[in-house]
């Protein structure tokens, strides 16, 4: 393999000045020393911190919940990509739902993964990503709400949809030339309704769990007075033994100076035919969000602690909580994945969209070229990609 066609990740320093590389490498030594001291401190304090955790009554064993039948599972994820071309933007979003490992006594619900897609040529506008991301997440929620499985997992926190939806509600009415804005406004009530289904989780045979890989919230740390530098998930990965979980606690929410929750959905600018329903749903969503609970669970020694967010109706019911725990444990049966199996598959599928997007652009360019009557060079100039934006 020559230098010209060698993958970039095999030669990470190829286009960097040697002096810059040397300077950064020198500074990483300082970073490593700081991290080493932090790791050693946590190791030295582990026993005292674990004693504090267990004495607080915040830890329980999975066996105390019982062993309900293994649930069928699936997971959802999504991604979007925008190719900034000379004359237009190519925008695409996809939501996928992937079935997990099937218990021996059950049949598979789906022969293939389920998906929803949106693809459009959009004018150059800075708000495209904001609205497209909301469409992606809305379709992800619809897939989750309609899945026939006992346990449905989502990659991310349960508070993420209200943030993305509110951004799109503020943006889409002023960007009506965007097809993704039309898509979002046309299905907004359906997205909100699916979101409410997940937040309430009212059916006893349906369980929804959100598993964010990263969160700045520190429900356990604040309760026990841990230093701000101690992240809940990182600390509990060290402190929890395999098969242990923390007692579900109410999710932290942003609050104003009076202590009131500040979640908001700006439905006032929606079309008249959708405004009332969306406004009613937004009030129910905010109430349901306040009841969401979080716990950490460490299924096996080779896994980090999982942060799990569930509806209050699940957290307060021992049988339903046990079903979630059994589903998570059954789907984390191999050390080669640091998350439940269906989430791993959904994540890989979603990320593949961004990698495949240049190929989609080339196919589009070819089809335009075949039918264009003028100079074909004009087509290649117009369809030349200058910048790509992706997200999940």
């Amino acid at each position: 393999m020559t230098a010209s066609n060698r993958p970039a990740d095999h030669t990470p320093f190829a286009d960097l000045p040697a002096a810059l590389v040397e300077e950064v490498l020198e500074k990483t030594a300082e970073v490593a020393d700081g991290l080493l001291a932090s790791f050693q401190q946590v190791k030295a304090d582990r026993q005292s911190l674990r004693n504090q955790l267990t004495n607080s009554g915040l830890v329980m064993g999975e066996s105390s919940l019982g062993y309900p039948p293994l649930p069928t599972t699936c997971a959802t994820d999504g991604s979007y990509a925008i190719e900034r071309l000379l004359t237009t933007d190519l925008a695409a979003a996809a939501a996928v739902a992937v079935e997990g490992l099937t218990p021996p006594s059950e049949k598979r619900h789906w022969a293939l993964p389920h998906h929803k897609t949106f693809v459009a040529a959009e004018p150059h506008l800075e708000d495209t990503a904001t609205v497209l991301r909301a469409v992606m997440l809305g379709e992800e929620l619809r897939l989750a709400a309609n899945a026939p499985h006992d346990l449905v997992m989502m990659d991310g926190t349960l508070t993420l949809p209200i943030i993305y939806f509110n951004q799109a509600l503020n943006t889409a009415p002023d960007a009506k030339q965007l097809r993704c804005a039309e898509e979002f406004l046309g299905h907004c009530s359906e997205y909100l309704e699916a979101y409410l289904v997940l937040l309430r989780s009212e059916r006893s045979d349906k369980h929804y769990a959100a598993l964010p890989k990263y969160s700045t919230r520190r429900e356990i740390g604040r309760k026990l007075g841990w230093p701000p530098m101690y992240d809940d998930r990182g600390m509990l990965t060290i402190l929890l033994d395999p098969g242990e979980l923390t007692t579900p606690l109410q999710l932290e929410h942003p609050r104003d100076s009076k202590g009131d929750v500040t979640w908001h959905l700006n439905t006032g600018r929606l079309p008249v035919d959708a405004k009332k329903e969306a406004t009613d749903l937004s009030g129910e969503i905010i109430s349901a969000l306040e009841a969401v609970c979080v716990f950490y669970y460490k299924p096996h020694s080779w896994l980090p602690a999982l942060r799990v967010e569930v509806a209050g109706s699940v957290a307060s019911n021992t049988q339903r909580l046990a079903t979630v725990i059994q589903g998570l444990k059954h789907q984390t049966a191999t050390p080669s994945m640091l998350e439940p199996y269906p989430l791993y598959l959904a994540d890989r599928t979603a990320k593949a969209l961004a990698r495949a997007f240049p190929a989609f652009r080339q196919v589009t360019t070819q089809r335009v070229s075949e039918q264009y009557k003028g100079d074909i060079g004009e087509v290649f100039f117009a369809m030349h990609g200058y910048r790509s934006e992706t997200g999940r």
Side-chain angles (χ1 to χ4, degrees), residues 13 49-50 79 83 114 160 187 234 259-260 278 304 317 347 364 379:
F13 305 141
L49 289 170
R50 177 166 171 82
S79 64
E83 281 274 312
H114 283 213
L160 195 63
H187 296 284
D260 297 326
N317 186 302
D347 179 76
T364 304
V379 173

Side-chain angles (χ1 to χ4, degrees), residues 139-342:
E139 294 299 342
E140 189 179 334
L141 292 172
R142 289 174 70 185
L143 284 173
N146 294 324
H149 302 80
D150 304 322
L151 173 60
V152 181
M153 307 174 213
M154 288 187 62
D155 186 358
T157 173
L158 282 174
T159 61
L160 195 63
I162 195 171
I163 297 171
Y164 284 176
F165 286 165
N166 195 51
Q167 291 174 350
L169 285 167
N170 288 322
T171 301
D174 295 327
K176 294 181 179 178
Q177 61 269 53
L178 291 175
R179 289 182 59 189
C180 60
E182 180 183 350
E183 182 79 5
F184 174 75
L185 294 173
H187 296 284
C188 181
S189 294
E190 297 171 39
Y191 296 160
L192 295 178
E193 188 173 355
Y195 186 26
L196 185 59
V197 168
L198 270 65
L199 292 176
R200 284 183 169 171
S201 197
E202 293 176 315
R203 286 179 50 178
S204 61
D205 61 336
K206 297 279 289 183
H207 308 77
Y208 302 98
L211 288 87
K213 296 183 179 69
Y214 171 81
S215 175
T216 58
R217 294 184 176 88
R218 299 177 56 251
E219 292 87 356
I220 304 288
R222 292 187 199 280
K223 193 173 184 67
L224 298 181
W226 291 345
M229 68 188 73
Y230 287 176
D231 169 76
D232 273 4
R233 191 180 182 203
M235 285 299 296
L236 290 167
T237 295
I238 297 170
L239 299 181
L240 290 178
D241 289 336
E244 288 185 335
L245 65 147
T246 60
T247 304
L249 297 175
Q250 188 177 38
L251 192 71
E252 281 186 344
H253 299 288
R255 298 181 183 273
D256 58 21
S257 58
K258 298 179 180 178
D260 297 326
V261 174
T262 57
W263 293 124
H264 176 65
L265 282 169
N266 184 20
T267 57
R269 303 179 63 199
L270 286 173
V272 177
D273 55 343
K275 182 177 178 180
K276 184 182 185 307
E277 183 181 4
T279 302
D280 292 341
L281 286 169
S282 68
E284 296 180 62
I285 284 170
I286 293 170
S287 296
L289 262 178
E290 294 187 49
V292 169
C293 293
V294 59
F295 64 90
Y296 289 85
Y297 172 50
K298 189 171 182 179
H300 307 284
S301 60
W302 60 77
L303 277 175
L306 302 174
R307 178 183 172 90
V308 188
E309 298 176 5
V310 294
S313 58
V314 174
S316 60
N317 186 302
T318 301
Q319 177 72 17
R320 299 190 68 186
L321 185 59
T323 299
V324 173
I325 293 298
Q326 286 299 304
L328 294 175
K329 191 175 186 72
H330 181 63
Q331 298 299 321
T332 52
T334 173
S336 61
M337 301 175 201
L338 297 182
E339 59 186 332
Y341 174 70

Side-chain angles (χ1 to χ4, degrees), residues 321-373:
L321 185 59
T323 299
V324 173
I325 293 298
Q326 286 299 304
L328 294 175
K329 191 175 186 72
H330 181 63
Q331 298 299 321
T332 52
T334 173
S336 61
M337 301 175 201
L338 297 182
E339 59 186 332
Y341 174 70
L343 273 177
Y344 171 80
L345 288 183
D347 179 76
R348 285 180 61 89
T349 305
K351 286 179 177 176
L353 173 67
R355 293 196 301 270
F357 207 69
F360 297 150
R361 172 169 57 84
Q362 290 177 4
V363 172
T364 304
T365 303
Q366 181 178 347
R367 291 185 177 179
V368 172
S369 301
E370 290 172 353
Q371 301 181 42
Y372 187 64
K373 302 302 182 182

